[in-house]
Amino acid sequence: MAGTQEEALSAVNTTIALDINEQPFKVQGSKDFLPLISQTLAGWAREDPPTEKKMPVEADIPEFLAELGLEKEATELTKAVGDLSLMAFFFYYVWASTPSKVEGTR
């Protein structure tokens, strides 16, 4: 959270600086935040660890859809939905579990 908050404060600080030619959240002549803001951001970083990526859909849902497509009385549409759901889940899983080489893209 602190990283996100720091970026937001920097954006607000830059917007204000463009209007009044002064950076109200930074130590004058420095890139550092004022001590009180720095302490607050450090406290947030300790209290709120980074988020963990989780799958938005559990594996049992695409598995269920694939099983529907394998039933004896399944229509062509049901078979296609089952197959495509399983393939989409597989490719999403591979994409989500691959580390991003470009920061902030995932």
Side-chain angles (χ1 to χ4, degrees):
M1 177 178 172
T4 305
Q5 299 300 331
E6 188 172 338
E7 290 171 10
L9 285 173
S10 289
V12 171
N13 186 64
T14 301
T15 302
I16 294 171
L18 291 172
D19 285 339
I20 64 171
N21 294 327
E22 196 174 301
Q23 297 189 10
F25 302 157
K26 304 270 178 134
V27 175
Q28 216 168 20
S30 171
K31 292 184 177 183
D32 298 331
F33 281 108
L34 294 171
L36 185 59
I37 294 175
S38 293
Q39 289 172 351
T40 303
L41 291 172
W44 285 340
R46 282 191 304 275
E47 292 174 13
D48 192 20
T51 57
E52 293 180 29
K53 290 184 180 180
K54 295 184 180 177
M55 299 293 283
V57 174
E58 295 297 323
D60 55 342
I61 293 173
E63 190 176 292
F64 170 75
L65 292 171
E67 287 173 3
L68 284 179
L70 294 174
E71 290 180 353
K72 198 163 79 173
E73 61 276 353
T75 65
E76 291 302 312
L77 176 63
T78 308
K79 291 176 186 178
V81 168
D83 290 344
L84 292 173
S85 298
L86 198 56
M87 287 188 286
F89 182 78
F90 170 76
F91 284 108
Y92 172 77
Y93 179 78
V94 169
W95 176 82
S97 57
T98 304
S100 173
K101 292 185 179 12
V102 178
E103 178 115 7
T105 59
R106 200 163 306 146

